[in-house]
Amino acid sequence: MTTLLYTHPACLEHDPGSHHPESATRLRAVLETLGDLAFARLERREAPEAAIDDLARVHPRRHVERILRAVPKSGYVGIDADTIMSPGSGEAALRAAGAVVAAVDSVITQEADNAFCAVRPPGHHAEPERAMGFCLFNNIAVGALHAREAHGLDRVAVIDFDVHHGNGTQATFETDDRLFYASTHQYPFYPGTGAASETGVGNIVNVPLRPMSGSMQFRAEVGRRILPALDDFRPQLVMISAGFDGHRRDPLAQLMLDEGDYVWITEQLLEIAYRHARGRLVSTLEGGYDLDALSASVAAHVRVLMSV
Ligand SMILES: [Zn+2]
């Protein structure tokens, strides 16, 4: 039983500015923790760059080219108030999406049971034609469409437990009933989408949670709304947008979750992956802005992936 870890040093070179919460120190903290002896069995892989053809399954080619052309030679370029590029951003974004594509390949060809992508920039806010919310390309959506189109899978599911709603993933999936997207998120909150009434073509499950919801309500709602719908969908691949900014110590949000909740949901999703998808599961890092909470939560999440 093998768990792969995809990452790349280039992901540390994306610099949205010295006061930005989505900093390279996040990924450094995660990699330091996963460098611990307890994770010696993780098989480490260098994330390749995504091909433009991979990205173009989600983002129109001219949009991809526009983003890559806008990467500055020096200094910073702002796409919006929160989404800033530095000279290292282009390669980082290509490696972040490429990690998920490569992880999908490895898991589908049964080289490994599951995989975690420790990458940045994150992806779930990136809409087909709009980079936003710290995200340039939608890494997980690119991976999901690759699984379907390059490997011929019929049903791919993404579960997103980042504290923010993955508007970009929803926008990519909402008209396609062979894709499934479920999200828990603080609501009302950035980016404003994610109401329970947004159901796509019956393939979107949004679980908005009030600030201060906490563990009990999170688990109850996931158990009542997401897991049964996911079971009905019978995914052939389970993918996770693993954001850890729902943690009680996170400075950006107030959902009051802890490592135990991330262990719990990872176990539930792994169980569904074994029931329907031969265990195939690919997880990728999204948010999480308290360094200690982030590294402890990633460690808890990856430990469950390795425990199968
Ligand atoms: Zn987030």
Side-chain angles (χ1 to χ4, degrees):
M1 295 295 187
T2 317
T3 296
L4 301 178
L5 171 64
Y6 278 92
T7 187
H8 196 281
C11 292
L12 298 166
E13 300 301 320
H14 162 62
D15 170 21
S18 56
H19 298 294
H20 200 288
E22 203 290 283
S23 69
T25 54
R26 300 177 57 238
L27 182 54
R28 270 193 210 101
V30 164
L31 294 176
E32 193 184 310
T33 300
L34 296 179
D36 198 90
L37 202 57
F39 297 98
R41 277 196 303 117
L42 267 182
E43 215 172 281
R44 283 143 224 270
R45 299 271 171 91
E46 226 172 57
E49 290 188 6
I52 303 298
D53 287 345
D54 295 327
L55 299 173
R57 294 195 181 102
V58 172
H59 306 284
R61 209 168 278 270
R62 64 178 190 293
H63 171 76
V64 172
E65 286 162 1
R66 202 185 314 134
I67 298 266
L68 294 175
R69 258 202 320 270
V71 173
K73 297 261 189 298
S74 66
Y76 300 102
V77 161
I79 293 175
D80 65 25
D82 302 322
T83 315
I84 319 263
M85 296 198 293
S86 67
S89 299
E91 184 179 349
L94 293 175
R95 301 265 181 202
V100 183
V101 169
V104 164
D105 286 340
S106 302
V107 165
I108 291 180
T109 58
Q110 295 183 302
E111 242 182 274
D113 297 279
N114 53 51
F116 180 69
C117 302
V119 292
R120 58 184 287 282
H124 71 154
H125 293 307
E127 295 182 350
E129 296 195 68
R130 186 175 175 206
M132 60 179 274
F134 314 169
C135 303
L136 298 176
F137 302 127
N138 195 314
N139 309 323
I140 200 153
V142 167
L145 293 195
H146 174 76
R148 224 181 48 181
E149 284 164 41
H151 294 283
L153 297 197
D154 270 329
R155 295 178 309 280
V156 180
V158 169
I159 297 82
D160 182 336
F161 57 68
D162 188 278
V163 81
H164 302 96
H165 180 242
N167 58 296
T169 313
Q170 176 170 304
T172 308
F173 283 25
E174 66 192 350
T175 58
D176 188 334
D177 64 5
R178 296 182 303 149
L179 298 168
F180 174 96
Y181 176 71
S183 172
T184 55
H185 44 273
Q186 185 167 319
Y187 189 87
F189 204 44
Y190 184 88
T193 50
S197 59
E198 295 165 27
T199 55
V201 287
N203 63 332
I204 306 285
V205 179
N206 280 310
V207 177
L209 297 165
R210 295 269 171 216
M212 313 302 283
S213 281
S215 302
M216 289 241 310
Q217 203 186 345
F218 171 78
R219 296 187 195 199
E221 293 287 311
V222 169
R224 190 173 66 86
R225 306 247 350 260
I226 293 181
L227 300 177
L230 184 56
D231 239 340
D232 285 348
F233 180 72
R234 296 180 296 117
Q236 295 165 307
L237 172 68
V238 174
M239 302 183 75
I240 304 179
S241 263
F244 299 96
D245 39 10
H247 195 283
R248 62 178 66 245
R249 289 169 57 179
D250 198 275
L252 263 53
Q254 299 80 35
L255 212 49
M256 307 303 279
L257 305 182
D258 60 29
E259 291 93 304
D261 299 312
Y262 298 125
V263 167
W264 177 80
I265 192 166
T266 309
E267 287 170 347
Q268 304 303 312
L269 297 178
L270 207 48
E271 205 177 297
I272 287 183
Y274 273 96
R275 193 144 61 234
H276 300 290
R278 299 184 215 156
R280 300 184 289 212
L281 185 150
V282 170
S283 174
T284 189
L285 182 64
E286 300 282 0
Y289 303 97
D290 177 277
L291 297 184
D292 292 337
L294 172 64
S295 44
S297 300
V298 167
H301 176 62
V302 173
R303 232 178 269 128
V304 175
L305 297 183
M306 293 171 70
S307 69
V308 293

